[in-house]
Amino acid sequence: MSRLRARAWLFGGSIACALLLQLMPLPPLLQPFKPYWIGLVLVYWAIEAPERVGLGFAFALGVAADLLSGELLGEQSLRLLVLAFIVLRFRARLRFFPVWQQSIAVLALLLNDRIVMLMARGFSGEPMPSPSFWFAPLTGMLAWPFVFLLIDDLRARLRAHE
């Protein structure tokens, strides 16, 4: 398999896995703890391969996620667009942080994502969510090192086979 095709498979496969993980049902007790997998994978690719992940890609991915999840059309598009913009803007700094500092930055990004989500849902007339709404960014922060190291290891294995 050619090098470019293998990289494309890794990129597409990680996005597809994130979409599937986002659709994965959890028991009601664990539902507030589910991280925003699409956002985590988008942050990884925006840091490591910004030539593949632009604002247009983030918007299209958000529309696809909205269509798959059946949520308000455009909500995830807006969320991912803001997330991608911030990551691409501060990519030069984020890229050289150690993983634990990146986790703290990802926590800030995911908290910002929750605020954007609150604004979008507030404009649509939905009531305020419960306090457990804020647990997902914390689990996203804890999941970030694993997401980062897993995809980075797969990319390193692809480079080793070249």
Side-chain angles (χ1 to χ4, degrees), residues 73-108:
L73 190 61
E75 177 189 329
Q76 289 192 54
S77 299
L78 176 65
R79 292 168 57 195
L80 290 176
L81 197 63
V82 170
L83 190 66
F85 176 78
I86 295 170
V87 172
L88 291 171
R89 172 69 174 88
F90 295 105
R91 177 187 172 271
R93 293 180 188 177
L94 289 172
R95 187 164 184 221
F96 294 107
F97 284 172
V99 175
W100 69 272
Q101 284 181 339
Q102 283 183 357
S103 295
I104 294 170
V106 164
L107 173 65

Side-chain angles (χ1 to χ4, degrees), residues 28-48:
L29 186 63
L30 296 177
Q31 190 65 30
F33 295 99
K34 183 163 75 170
Y36 190 37
W37 295 109
I38 302 167
L40 291 174
V41 172
L42 182 74
V43 168
Y44 174 82
W45 286 113
I47 290 173
E48 295 297 324

Side-chain angles (χ1 to χ4, degrees), residues 41-63:
V41 172
L42 182 74
V43 168
Y44 174 82
W45 286 113
I47 290 173
E48 295 297 324
E51 67 278 357
R52 287 184 172 217
V53 178
L55 298 180
F57 177 79
F59 184 81
L61 180 62
V63 168

Side-chain angles (χ1 to χ4, degrees), residues 120-140:
R121 290 188 177 180
F123 287 136
S124 69
E126 289 187 27
M128 287 292 288
S130 66
S132 64
F133 176 78
W134 299 99
F135 292 157
L138 295 173
T139 56

Side-chain angles (χ1 to χ4, degrees), residues 10 44-45 48 145-161:
L10 178 61
Y44 174 82
W45 286 113
E48 295 297 324
F146 300 105
V147 169
F148 180 84
L149 294 174
L150 175 68
I151 300 174
D152 212 43
D153 182 55
L154 291 172
R155 286 181 69 215
R157 288 176 193 234
L158 281 177
R159 282 192 297 266
H161 289 298

